[in-house]
Amino acid sequence: MPDSPILSVQDLQVTFATRQGPLRAVDGLSFDVAPKEVVGIVGESGSGKSVSMYSVLGLVRDANVQINGSVKFQGREILGLSDQEMQPIRGGEIGMIFQDPMTALTPVYTVGWQIAEQLRAHSGMTKQQARERAIELLGEVGIPDPRKRVDRYPHEFSGGMRQRVVIAMALSCNPKLLIADEPTTALDVTTQAQILDLMLKLQDSYNSSIVIITHDMGVIAEMAHKVVVMYAGRPAEIGPEIDVVRNPRHPYTWGLLGAVPRVESRNDRLTTIPGNAVSPLDIPEGCAFADRCEYRMDICTKRPQLKGTNSHLDACWLSDEQRLTIRSKAVR
Amino acid sequence: MLSFSLRRILSAVLVLFAISIAVFLIFFATPGVDPAARIAGRSASPATLAHVRAAFGLNRPIFIRYLLMMDHLFIKRDLTSYVNVGLKVVPQVLKAAPITLALVSGAAVIWLVVGIFGGIIAAANRGKFIDPLVMFIGIAAVSVPAYWLGEVVNLITQSRLHSSLFSWVPSGGYTPFTQNPWQWALHLLFPWLTLAALYAGIYARVLRAELVNAMNEDYVRTARAKGLSERRILIRHALRCSLVSIVSLFGLDFGALIGGAALLTEVVFGLQGVGMLTYTALQNLDLPVIMACVLYGSFFVVLANAVVDILYAFLDPRVRVA
């Protein structure tokens, strides 16, 4: 995609000062989001995927946080802007969908009121106009009988319906970019598919780019054009979805893909990645994944840089020949 | 909402009925105690005792006694004190009630305004100098006993600076609102402030804690991601949700104070309110008055709780269904 990127993250570092010393939640994350592109960020819990996107919008409120690097939105540096300067961007240019729709809405206001509140914050709509638009939006995200439901409170909706409300709210101001933080994690499986379909459909009609954060490779395969695999706050592998899923290069990605159940192979046990995710307090000097890696070598005590061909990059010391042998053995 | 309110009021009436029975049983059916001797007071003559027995039907079945008692209290309203012979109890309570009501309501307005304002200021400036300052003033106000604060206020306004700065402060006592609204407010100003100090401190501290919690909630993060101003997030989202706990706290405090817990303030400022009435009655073991005061107090506690629950449902839509 030749257009200049909507969002460009360069060497993002998020560090929390804690009593046990600095906690590096995100360490050297870089990626671009092109117009209309869907970028998936995938990784285990605690890999820094959510924190990195909250940092982009300035939603990390911890007083002990230190955020470095560069985040350019439509060519403009937005990292370090004040809350006041961020206001028109938040909700107006960048919409956000959260993980848990049960708690993401203020319990004491009707859903229509909450959508209208955002509309009125970013446009000169009157109360009546905002309400009409809210009804329209609720209809678009597939809430039946929106004219009636607009005056209902969040607790009167099911989880999936609430997530639709959150999506309607995020899209209300035609944002150029939609950040979805595990939008389907808290939902049951059938609802998950509906919500993903809805997001793709709306992305098409609203022409927004999407950054979707998930730990589910299945979601990535369904939605993303480009994938960023994160481990311990560092990017492990970045590339076009088709390359990363069909031809993963990093041992961590192999593990993630092995953990996705497939319909065609019934008798295989799902692979697990041995060990636990490293604590962000003591990430090793070298490769963060080394302790859990089957193919660990002496050189892994040194930190590998992202490298690769074209747009498919990974941070691993394994040579191409080594990978070929390992994978041919594994596939059989 | 309406049906919720009706249901709540109905249950309040039931609770009041139950309380009246409980109070009656405590006073008239405690084993081993002769209620006639208690009602008639210390060293009563046999003639008085006989009179009491007849008036309260003490030789008749217990439920008749209950009905007789309620008749004396609410219908004939001729319950008489035997300690201060001839003094009718119900008019006494009705005379004391407006004074307490005026004292507590005025103080409530002050403590709500000051407490909520203080809580917001502290929460909005969390981590800055002003937050611990407000909280320190709060804890100081909570720690100072009302009788001491009242005495100091009296000392300053009535004695030491009465000839200069506080010459406009009237001496203690109460002027009815209907007689002179200005004097009414003037008489009550310092009692209001004294009584409000403690509660303003508590409410500021509670609200700050609630707000700080609320600001960490997911819905606040959503509000921020919507591009709202920090002030709007604090007031329209965090404060609005924190009000629920303030309201329930307020109901309990208000009910208890109206019911007689404002005693210390009343005594210090010479206000003949319900607290004072109960206090004197207890000292004289004036049983009919004590009983009337207990029933009166419980009435306001129950009423305040019912009002709070209805307000609760108004503030929090999730409660309405239950």
Side-chain angles (χ1 to χ4, degrees):
Chain A
M1 301 194 186
D3 309 285
S4 64
I6 287 275
L7 183 78
S8 170
V9 177
Q10 287 303 319
D11 196 26
L12 184 69
Q13 315 251 359
V14 183
T15 312
F16 294 89
T18 70
R19 259 176 225 170
Q20 288 90 38
L23 184 155
R24 292 192 159 246
V26 182
D27 188 359
L29 179 65
S30 307
F31 67 93
D32 287 347
V33 184
K36 295 193 72 176
E37 191 178 33
V38 179
V39 173
I41 302 183
V42 66
E44 284 169 287
S45 313
S47 58
K49 48 197 196 306
S50 296
V51 167
S52 61
M53 293 322 288
Y54 289 156
S55 312
V56 166
L57 270 185
L59 294 178
V60 182
R61 310 306 289 186
D62 199 306
N64 299 315
V65 76
Q66 169 81 33
I67 301 174
N68 293 320
S70 152
V71 176
K72 287 208 170 84
F73 179 69
Q74 296 187 308
R76 178 184 171 208
E77 179 64 51
I78 60 169
L79 204 62
L81 288 189
S82 70
D83 274 337
Q84 224 167 355
E85 292 166 308
M86 281 302 283
Q87 269 176 41
I89 297 172
R90 290 181 193 149
E93 308 265 343
I94 304 179
M96 186 130 191
I97 301 169
F98 295 97
Q99 176 173 359
D100 190 353
M102 294 297 172
T103 53
L105 294 164
T106 309
V108 297
Y109 295 120
T110 63
V111 295
W113 189 95
Q114 301 193 42
I115 299 174
E117 183 187 36
Q118 176 163 359
L119 284 165
R120 296 191 68 203
H122 295 285
S123 66
M125 281 191 190
T126 65
K127 260 189 179 151
Q128 199 48 44
Q129 288 169 327
R131 190 186 143 84
E132 286 303 315
R133 180 82 186 108
I135 295 171
E136 254 173 64
L137 281 161
L138 287 177
E140 272 180 59
V141 296
I143 287 182
D145 203 358
R147 197 159 285 281
K148 225 164 102 191
R149 303 300 283 274
V150 73
D151 290 323
R152 294 286 176 82
Y153 291 93
H155 71 272
E156 296 172 293
F157 288 77
S158 68
M161 285 294 158
R162 273 190 234 189
Q163 194 62 296
R164 286 169 196 262
V165 171
V166 174
I167 292 174
M169 202 153 79
L171 286 173
S172 61
C173 300
N174 294 325
K176 306 243 170 18
L177 175 67
L178 197 60
I179 299 176
D181 180 15
E182 307 210 23
T184 57
T185 306
L187 306 174
D188 62 58
V189 182
T190 46
T191 324
Q192 282 183 11
Q194 289 172 7
I195 293 290
L196 292 179
D197 284 350
L198 175 69
M199 284 178 62
L200 281 178
K201 199 186 100 202
L202 292 170
Q203 189 236 359
D204 208 42
S205 50
Y206 279 78
N207 283 327
S208 8
S209 311
I210 298 182
V211 173
I212 184 166
I213 301 168
T214 181
H215 56 244
D216 185 346
M217 269 302 199
V219 172
I220 294 289
E222 176 150 348
M223 303 263 306
H225 305 137
K226 187 197 230 167
V227 186
V228 179
V229 180
M230 283 184 79
Y231 184 77
R234 300 173 185 171
E237 182 164 354
I238 296 180
E241 180 262 335
I242 202 137
D243 294 345
V244 175
V245 173
R246 296 263 175 81
N247 186 23
R249 296 176 55 87
H250 197 283
Y252 178 61
T253 319
W254 299 343
L256 280 183
L257 284 166
V260 179
R262 287 187 193 287
V263 182
E264 51 275 22
S265 56
R266 252 179 303 161
N267 295 327
D268 287 354
R269 293 184 66 121
L270 295 177
T271 27
T272 53
I273 304 175
N276 291 316
V278 287
S279 154
L281 276 171
D282 43 32
I283 295 170
E285 279 285 299
C287 174
F289 189 59
D291 284 349
R292 300 169 72 185
C293 185
E294 270 183 77
Y295 316 106
R296 182 184 177 145
M297 301 174 293
D298 290 342
I299 195 171
C300 294
T301 48
K302 272 172 48 190
R303 182 169 169 181
Q305 295 303 310
L306 272 177
K307 58 183 181 341
T309 47
N310 299 326
S311 50
H312 190 179
L313 312 175
D314 70 288
C316 183
W317 289 114
L318 289 172
S319 67
D320 288 353
E321 295 76 46
Q322 282 170 311
R323 294 179 214 226
L324 264 178
T325 13
I326 292 167
R327 295 209 69 216
S328 62
K329 261 190 237 155
V331 171
R332 261 189 297 238
Chain B
M1 189 71 207
L2 187 70
S3 79
F4 177 87
S5 309
L6 286 176
R7 263 181 296 151
R8 191 61 192 80
I9 288 167
L10 187 72
S11 82
V13 170
L14 282 176
V15 169
L16 281 174
F17 176 64
I19 289 176
S20 76
I21 291 179
V23 169
F24 168 79
L25 289 177
I26 290 169
F27 283 92
F28 285 88
T30 313
V33 175
D34 178 10
R38 293 273 163 249
I39 293 169
R42 293 180 191 126
S43 60
S45 68
T48 322
L49 283 177
H51 181 252
V52 170
R53 287 215 172 85
F56 291 95
L58 290 183
N59 43 7
R60 298 166 75 180
I62 193 156
F63 69 93
I64 302 252
R65 278 190 263 159
Y66 172 77
L67 290 178
L68 269 176
M69 187 67 218
M70 293 301 123
D71 183 43
H72 281 308
L73 263 174
F74 295 113
I75 298 171
K76 289 211 199 95
R77 298 194 194 164
D78 61 349
L79 189 66
T80 322
S81 161
Y82 288 85
V83 178
N84 302 305
V85 183
L87 210 58
K88 293 268 195 289
V89 172
V90 179
Q92 258 193 311
V93 174
L94 291 181
K95 204 177 113 218
I99 301 177
T100 303
L101 206 61
L103 170 69
V104 177
S105 329
V109 172
I110 296 174
W111 92 56
L112 280 180
V113 170
V114 175
I116 289 178
F117 190 70
I120 292 174
I121 293 287
N125 293 290
R126 196 171 165 223
K128 294 182 203 149
F129 172 70
I130 198 163
D131 173 21
L133 182 73
V134 171
M135 284 305 102
F136 177 77
I137 297 173
I139 198 89
V142 173
S143 316
V144 174
Y147 57 85
W148 183 85
L149 184 62
E151 287 295 0
V152 171
V153 166
N154 271 340
L155 182 71
I156 294 171
T157 61
Q158 303 289 351
S159 159
R160 294 301 143 91
L161 295 177
H162 191 61
S163 48
S164 52
L165 194 58
F166 290 110
S167 55
W168 50 273
V169 180
S171 53
Y174 179 75
T175 308
F177 182 79
T178 45
Q179 198 178 316
N180 185 342
W182 172 245
Q183 280 300 316
W184 172 81
L186 222 51
H187 274 88
L188 282 172
L189 179 64
F190 283 102
W192 281 341
L193 291 175
T194 305
L195 181 60
L198 161 71
Y199 293 95
I202 296 177
Y203 281 52
R205 293 184 67 87
V206 170
L207 184 63
R208 176 196 175 271
E210 287 286 331
L211 282 175
V212 166
N213 265 340
M215 289 305 275
N216 289 326
E217 292 282 347
D218 284 359
Y219 62 76
V220 164
R221 192 179 57 196
T222 310
R224 207 169 265 134
K226 279 161 83 174
L228 307 178
S229 69
E230 282 300 306
R231 174 188 302 209
R232 191 175 169 93
I233 294 169
L234 184 70
I235 304 294
R236 295 306 291 267
H237 290 266
L239 178 65
R240 178 65 177 68
C241 293
S242 306
L243 273 187
V244 173
S245 52
I246 290 293
V247 162
S248 52
L249 199 63
F250 179 75
L252 293 175
D253 287 337
F254 190 78
L257 281 175
I258 294 277
L263 166 71
L264 295 174
T265 317
E266 286 176 6
V267 172
V268 171
F269 290 100
L271 297 166
Q272 303 287 331
V274 178
M276 189 92 126
L277 186 66
T278 318
Y279 175 67
T280 356
L282 280 169
Q283 274 190 320
N284 300 330
L285 276 180
D286 195 345
L287 205 66
V289 179
I290 297 174
M291 209 169 97
C293 287
V294 169
L295 281 178
Y296 161 90
S298 64
F299 172 76
F300 274 100
V301 172
V302 171
L303 185 72
N305 270 310
V307 171
V308 161
D309 280 356
I310 292 167
L311 209 58
Y312 217 89
F314 178 73
L315 283 175
D316 189 342
R318 286 167 298 181
V319 179
R320 280 171 221 166
V321 230

